[in-house]
Amino acid sequence: MDKKMVYFYGGGVAEGSAKMKNLLGGKGANLAEMARMGLPVPPGFTITTEVCDYYWKHDRSFPETLEADVEAALKRLEEVSGKKFGDKDNPLLVSVRSGAAVSMPGMMDTILNLGLNDETVEALAKNTNNPRFAYDAYRRFIQMFGDVALGIPHHDFEEALNQVKEEKGVKLDIELEADDFKKVIELYKEIYKKAGKEFPQDPKKQLWIAIEAVFGSWMNERAIKYRAINGIKEGELLGTAVNVVMMVFGNMGDDSGTGVCFTRDPNTGENIKYGEYLPNAQGEDVVAGIRTPYPLEKLNEILPDVYKQLTEIMDKLEHHYKDMQDIEFTVEKGKLYFLQTRTGKRTAKAAVKIAVDLVKEGLIDKATAVMRVTPDQIDKLLHPAFDTEEVKKAQEIGEGLPASPGAATGKVVFSADEAEEFAKEGTPVILVRPETSPEDVGGMNAAEGILTATGGMTSHAAVVARGMGKPAIVGAEEIVIDEEAKEFTARGVTVKDGDWISIDGTTGKVYLGKIKTIKPQGLEGEVAELLEFADEIRVLGVRANADIPRDAKVARNFGAEGIGLCRTEHMFFEGDRIQKMRRMIVSKTVEQREAALEELLPLQKDDFKGLFEAMEGFPVTIRLLDPPLHEFLPNDEEQMKELAPQLGITVEELKEIVENLHEFNPMMGHRGVRLAITYPEVAVMQTKAIILAAIEMVKEGKKVKPEIMIPLVGTVKELKYLDKIVRETADKLIEEAGVDLEYKVGTMIEVPRGAITADEIAEVAQFFSFGTNDLTQMTLGFSRDDYGKFINDYIEKGIYESDPFKHVDQTGVGRMVKIAKDYGRSVNPELKLGVCGEHGGDPESIEFFHKTQLDYVSCSPYRVPIARLAAAQAAVKFKRGKFVNYAD
């Protein structure tokens, strides 16, 4: 390996810097940087992450020259420290610590006090005139080395330590004396022998075993799981670096100690010093919770000069890094040392406040502030969450896909009707269904949250719940529902109708009983300010998917710049409208259908007017009827018996209609534009409702921008047929009203044929909106309601990196989007392009849509703030025109 593998710092030298995190890891890079700044940092050296990468790629072996490089660095450390590694008179002791480019606290291994053995411990006791400290350090090293490097269970050592404490009649380690620790050491050595291991007395051997243990910890189970949870893909990082640092000791008496501090409060973001300090202790005592530390201010009482120096350097570090810092420090005999600084982890609330405050303080610009907050953090601030302490006590009884974030508690109900009944009485409910359908919308709206046994991230339950801002868990397959008995079972627990459960739509977890929730902050204060920064930066517009005025108002309050998708079919399920819709469906003649539709017309018109009013002159894209007609009719025979007389037909006639409408694959059946071609009178009625609502707005002196969207178009001839009907209907009404009203007619691109013939379609359409849910379904050939059963196998085996219904499949579906964009704009350079599928609210997909040079994304109202931030982050990372190779 012909590269520099070891970087030294100390004695006025620093070979690395903060810019070298990928090579030196965060810990090593920041130690080198602090050394460059002249701060009190113990000297040491860092073995690079490239060596870790080599180690795992070469059957756990090291490069040939590494040993010589480490020896040279060790000699430099001896010169700077004035001590000698393994020396019987003045021994150098070191810590061996991990450190990847991305902070992974507690996931990998650390060994302290390395270099101690039966001889050097005596020298340490003599030189410090503190035998208690020396033997305490030795027993800590033996325990940590056995646990981390040799795999001897930690609790075996703890039992031995507790045995000595019990014999002496004390509770705390600090109450033990040197002779007590000597007994502990002998017991520890016996533990090694029982485990068939040997404690190495040779410090050089200790060092190499420790270095290998740290590299080995890169692939331990907890580190792998941490990377997976935090979206760090395998291969994204080279590995961990190894830091070998001269030991400084916080356990040398009352003038020594250890602490962790933050330059701001990591919980609230307030600009106050925050941290803990533990006198006469090593860092592991704080982290492991062996002793209860004091607030940081305690250091000011004990060692005021040290406290003053610490706080001054905290300010210096925050200004240098231009972000809140998480700092580890040790005080040895009244002298302060900095062991680590890193960007501090913080709550969502703190992240937003710190980002905005740093802009106001002139430390960072708005673009940097926008990059400092993740879309997930904004998401957490917008949805209720469970109290963390309450969750710890709750009984988890199931888990599914986290379809819509937020926390909800309520009584279990198994039908939409029951949900609505309970809601009228003010009782909170969780609607539990095998799966939901459009007919359940009322119950979903009434419920606090939704739980389904089947379905995926873009199933009906998921899409509608997100639109409503309701917490939802879908595809919880371990939950077995017995609708007849009105109960479900999961993990051996039976939950009956009316029992209380709690669901966390952010994690996908289901709990038994009530759990207290905490209200979200919403778009106030610093959150609103940060999103204003985002709006100044982003290029991509952000609209909302909203079907009723109430949702539109929510979306507008969250900053939506229009409606990108109004699903008109949802309007037909409100109140007695479903009956009018059903009368239209069972009609035998055009005249009968038109009569039924005429009753729906004023209701739809009022809905559309409400949307226009809520959007205050921003565009409102209204999709004509999309789902197949069978969704509006019941399948249950009892319901048919009740409904038939109301429709003026026999039960047999209704059964026959339902059977005729039945389709084997309704998602690819008689729906969308196909319905309008068969029943153009439906499109006429909806067009009238849209245009009449817009005319009323114009007459009231208000601005309105209606956009009529025809779904599921696969050929330009379909669009031409409907475009003619829509325009003739609209133009006639506008002319009769004598108003000046502009409107647009466009289409959804969700059929692959529509995408690859977009140049033809763009000759008619004024805008495209990519319906990425169906486009994904039809391009991949995956049923979005059934794919949840096998998609995890695909992800685990590396066939797909992620759920393609959650993050847009850039290679396949993304290429379809790009083809349609290129073809469409080649014919019509002014063609407006947007996205109205669920991907419109996904940050990863939004980045792709920005790079693909679309005009806007549309998402559920509660994801509008997330989309605003994600669009701004995409604009910071990628200037338009720079990204061209979409297929790679």
Side-chain angles (χ1 to χ4, degrees):
M1 189 166 144
D2 189 23
K3 290 182 179 178
K4 184 174 176 64
M5 292 180 280
V6 179
Y7 288 73
F8 188 85
Y9 57 88
V13 173
E15 294 179 336
S17 74
K19 294 177 181 177
M20 300 170 68
K21 284 185 180 179
N22 287 337
L23 186 66
L24 303 180
K27 193 178 279 107
N30 286 331
L31 282 167
E33 186 75 10
M34 287 192 288
R36 280 177 177 272
M37 294 169 66
L39 301 185
V41 174
F45 58 88
T46 302
I47 305 171
T48 69
T49 57
E50 290 178 337
V51 176
C52 183
D53 187 50
Y54 180 99
Y55 175 82
W56 284 103
K57 286 178 178 174
H58 293 80
D59 196 25
R60 298 194 180 200
S61 64
F62 293 124
E64 284 183 17
T65 60
L66 181 65
E67 187 173 352
D69 290 351
V70 169
E71 283 291 323
L74 202 53
K75 279 191 169 40
R76 289 181 74 178
L77 189 55
E78 289 174 338
E79 291 167 10
V80 169
S81 67
K83 301 175 182 180
K84 192 169 175 59
F85 193 58
D87 190 68
K88 298 175 185 176
D89 297 317
N90 189 20
L92 167 68
L93 304 181
V94 297
S95 64
V96 180
R97 308 179 76 187
S98 61
V102 175
S103 175
M104 297 170 55
M107 295 303 109
M108 293 175 293
D109 292 331
T110 292
I111 296 175
L112 305 178
N113 308 325
L114 190 143
L116 283 172
N117 57 24
D118 291 347
E119 293 180 329
T120 56
V121 70
E122 291 180 13
L124 185 65
K126 181 182 175 185
N127 294 344
T128 59
N129 195 28
N130 191 340
R132 185 203 173 280
F133 151 72
Y135 286 97
D136 178 26
Y138 191 22
R139 69 92 189 171
R140 288 172 186 266
F141 171 53
I142 295 171
Q143 176 175 347
M144 197 175 279
F145 189 87
D147 176 17
V148 170
L150 301 180
I152 300 172
H154 176 77
H155 63 78
D156 290 355
F157 296 109
E158 285 301 307
E159 284 179 10
L161 179 63
N162 288 333
Q163 179 185 325
V164 173
K165 285 194 282 191
E166 284 172 13
E167 287 172 1
K168 187 161 185 179
V170 299
K171 290 184 177 181
L172 300 174
D173 303 359
I174 202 169
E175 297 173 279
L176 296 177
E177 302 295 336
D179 288 342
D180 300 318
F181 284 126
K182 287 178 183 179
K183 290 179 187 175
V184 172
I185 288 163
E186 292 310 310
L187 290 172
Y188 280 5
K189 287 179 180 177
E190 286 300 316
I191 290 169
Y192 272 74
K193 287 177 185 175
K194 285 177 186 174
K197 311 280 185 182
E198 183 182 345
F199 173 72
Q201 291 286 326
D202 179 1
K204 292 281 178 70
K205 190 174 181 182
Q206 293 172 2
L207 179 62
W208 282 101
I209 292 172
I211 288 170
E212 186 159 8
V214 172
F215 281 138
S217 70
W218 176 250
M219 297 300 286
N220 70 31
E221 187 178 343
R222 66 179 184 271
I224 291 170
K225 188 174 284 187
Y226 181 91
R227 293 195 290 274
I229 290 168
N230 288 277
I232 303 168
K233 296 170 185 171
E234 290 305 318
E236 198 171 310
L237 301 175
L238 287 172
T240 180
V242 173
N243 299 284
V244 179
V245 186
M246 183 189 82
M247 281 296 303
V248 289
F249 298 97
N251 57 336
M252 293 185 73
D254 291 338
D255 59 354
S256 303
T258 187
V260 176
C261 59
F262 295 82
T263 56
R264 299 186 189 225
D265 188 327
N267 296 308
T268 66
E270 293 295 320
N271 190 5
I272 56 172
K273 303 292 186 289
Y274 181 96
E276 295 177 324
Y277 179 71
L278 196 52
N280 197 17
Q282 281 198 320
E284 63 179 291
D285 297 335
V286 177
V287 176
I290 295 168
R291 289 164 55 192
T292 303
Y294 298 103
L296 188 63
E297 289 72 26
K298 184 73 174 179
L299 178 60
N300 194 27
E301 295 176 23
I302 303 170
L303 300 166
D305 290 343
V306 172
Y307 179 79
K308 183 172 182 290
Q309 183 189 9
L310 173 68
T311 54
E312 286 173 354
I313 293 177
M314 285 171 74
D315 289 338
K316 188 174 183 179
L317 283 170
E318 182 173 276
H319 277 75
H320 182 78
Y321 284 98
K322 301 183 188 302
D323 201 357
M324 184 261 277
Q325 295 296 292
D326 169 2
I327 298 162
E328 293 179 19
F329 67 94
T330 285
V331 182
E332 180 184 282
K333 306 297 286 181
K335 184 173 180 180
L336 176 66
Y337 290 94
F338 285 81
L339 308 184
Q340 177 171 311
T341 190
R342 60 188 173 194
T343 300
K345 295 192 181 296
R346 60 205 78 179
T347 65
K349 181 181 178 182
V352 172
K353 180 167 177 54
I354 291 169
V356 171
D357 284 354
L358 290 177
V359 172
K360 292 176 181 176
E361 292 165 27
L363 277 178
I364 62 174
D365 60 19
K366 291 177 181 178
T368 304
V370 160
M371 297 304 291
R372 290 273 174 88
V373 178
T374 68
D376 279 348
Q377 287 171 323
I378 293 292
D379 199 11
K380 285 174 184 173
L381 292 174
L382 298 178
H383 294 273
F386 287 132
D387 183 284
T388 49
E389 293 305 313
E390 293 290 322
V391 167
K392 289 176 187 174
K393 303 173 195 171
Q395 180 183 354
E396 184 181 326
I397 58 169
E399 187 171 1
L401 297 172
S404 183
T409 294
K411 288 187 174 183
V412 169
V413 294
F414 292 89
S415 74
D417 290 342
E418 194 178 7
E420 291 184 80
E421 287 168 16
F422 271 92
K424 284 175 187 173
E425 298 166 8
T427 304
V429 297
I430 304 294
L431 178 61
V432 180
R433 303 280 298 137
E435 60 186 302
T436 64
S437 69
E439 211 161 352
D440 293 321
V441 168
M444 294 172 75
N445 187 49
E448 296 296 314
I450 297 103
L451 171 63
T452 71
T454 61
M457 294 293 281
T458 57
S459 63
H460 177 268
V463 172
V464 175
R466 279 194 289 272
M468 292 176 169
K470 302 274 183 183
I473 298 171
V474 301
E477 293 187 352
E478 61 187 318
I479 289 172
V480 180
I481 299 173
D482 185 338
E483 287 188 270
E484 194 174 327
K486 287 193 171 184
E487 63 184 34
F488 74 82
T489 55
R491 299 186 186 178
V493 175
T494 298
V495 178
K496 298 181 180 296
D497 193 59
D499 288 348
W500 287 85
I501 65 167
S502 299
I503 64 169
D504 190 336
T506 306
T507 64
K509 295 184 184 296
V510 183
Y511 302 91
L512 191 64
K514 297 181 186 179
I515 303 179
K516 180 183 172 186
T517 56
I518 300 168
K519 288 185 178 180
Q521 181 179 330
L523 290 190
E524 298 173 351
E526 286 89 1
V527 181
E529 288 183 73
L530 183 80
L531 291 175
E532 284 172 11
F533 298 167
D535 292 342
E536 292 175 28
I537 294 164
R538 64 184 167 88
V539 181
L540 209 57
V542 177
R543 300 188 192 182
N545 298 342
D547 309 328
I548 54 177
R550 182 180 66 249
D551 291 347
K553 285 173 186 170
V554 170
R556 188 72 195 95
N557 289 339
F558 281 141
E561 302 159 322
I563 291 175
L565 173 63
C566 166
R567 305 174 185 89
T568 54
E569 59 271 11
H570 287 174
M571 298 171 171
F572 295 136
F573 287 98
E574 294 234 340
D576 64 348
R577 299 181 187 195
I578 187 73
Q579 294 298 86
K580 293 178 171 60
M581 188 65 181
R582 285 167 171 170
R583 272 200 291 277
M584 189 278 292
I585 293 170
V586 302
S587 296
K588 295 177 181 176
T589 67
V590 173
E591 291 75 22
Q592 287 176 338
R593 274 195 295 277
E594 287 177 339
L597 290 165
E598 197 63 30
E599 292 184 45
L600 284 167
L601 174 59
L603 302 173
Q604 281 242 289
K605 184 201 72 174
D606 289 345
D607 286 332
F608 296 142
K609 189 175 178 184
L611 294 177
F612 292 143
E613 286 174 338
M615 279 298 117
E616 303 171 318
F618 283 108
V620 176
T621 306
I622 299 167
R623 182 179 71 186
L624 299 185
L625 189 64
D626 183 53
L629 296 180
H630 75 86
E631 289 194 5
F632 297 94
L633 296 174
N635 288 315
D636 182 82
E637 191 165 341
E638 288 302 313
Q639 289 180 329
M640 286 188 195
K641 285 178 182 177
E642 186 182 334
L643 179 61
Q646 297 171 18
L647 298 176
I649 59 175
T650 66
V651 174
E652 291 307 313
E653 284 177 308
L654 182 56
K655 276 187 185 176
E656 186 179 348
I657 290 167
V658 171
E659 285 171 12
N660 288 337
L661 289 174
H662 171 75
E663 295 177 317
F664 287 105
N665 190 351
M667 290 306 295
M668 298 177 76
H670 197 192
R671 53 173 285 226
V673 68
R674 300 156 200 168
L675 268 179
I677 286 169
T678 303
Y679 307 114
E681 52 272 20
V682 177
V684 170
M685 182 277 287
Q686 292 196 295
T687 301
K688 281 182 179 179
I690 294 165
I691 298 301
L692 287 172
I695 287 170
E696 286 188 17
M697 290 288 290
V698 172
K699 286 183 176 180
E700 291 171 14
K702 295 175 182 173
K703 290 183 180 178
V704 62
K705 292 182 181 177
E707 297 181 346
I708 299 170
M709 183 157 69
I710 297 162
L712 221 69
V713 166
T715 167
V716 70
K717 290 181 180 179
E718 290 173 317
L719 184 58
K720 280 181 178 178
Y721 177 83
L722 259 295
D723 181 78
K724 183 172 183 290
I725 290 171
V726 168
R727 289 193 180 279
E728 284 178 354
T729 304
D731 293 345
K732 183 181 177 185
L733 291 172
I734 294 167
E735 186 181 346
E736 288 173 354
V739 298
D740 185 14
L741 173 64
E742 289 186 12
Y743 66 92
K744 289 182 179 176
V745 181
T747 184
M748 288 182 81
I749 299 293
E750 49 194 332
V751 176
R753 191 184 190 282
I756 61 174
T757 61
D759 51 343
E760 296 176 3
I761 292 172
E763 290 177 354
V764 180
Q766 291 175 286
F767 66 87
F768 288 170
S769 182
F770 293 96
T772 53
N773 297 348
D774 271 348
L775 189 59
T776 297
Q777 180 170 237
M778 293 195 221
T779 302
L780 272 59
F782 286 178
S783 163
R784 72 191 205 199
D785 290 316
D786 298 314
Y787 83 104
K789 295 174 183 175
F790 58 82
I791 192 62
N792 286 336
D793 298 328
Y794 272 63
I795 293 168
E796 286 170 11
K797 292 170 182 175
I799 297 168
Y800 281 103
E801 282 191 5
S802 60
D803 183 336
F805 287 94
K806 185 176 181 184
H807 306 303
V808 71
D809 163 37
Q810 296 185 22
T811 307
V813 177
R815 191 175 296 185
M816 283 286 185
V817 172
K818 182 183 181 295
I819 288 169
K821 180 212 84 170
D822 290 343
Y823 282 10
R825 285 206 174 132
S826 71
V827 171
N828 178 5
E830 301 303 313
L831 186 71
K832 292 294 179 189
L833 300 168
V835 173
C836 63
E838 285 300 299
H839 298 98
D842 168 53
E844 186 178 309
S845 304
I846 288 169
E847 184 177 287
F848 175 77
F849 298 138
H850 167 86
K851 293 190 290 186
T852 312
Q853 302 188 8
L854 303 190
D855 294 305
Y856 68 86
V857 293
S858 187
C859 55
S860 63
Y862 286 86
R863 291 198 73 80
V864 166
I866 294 149
R868 289 166 66 192
L869 179 66
Q873 292 180 338
V876 172
K877 289 162 72 176
F878 301 98
K879 288 199 166 154
R880 285 224 158 147
K882 297 255 175 133
F883 181 79
V884 289
N885 199 0
Y886 301 95
D888 284 353

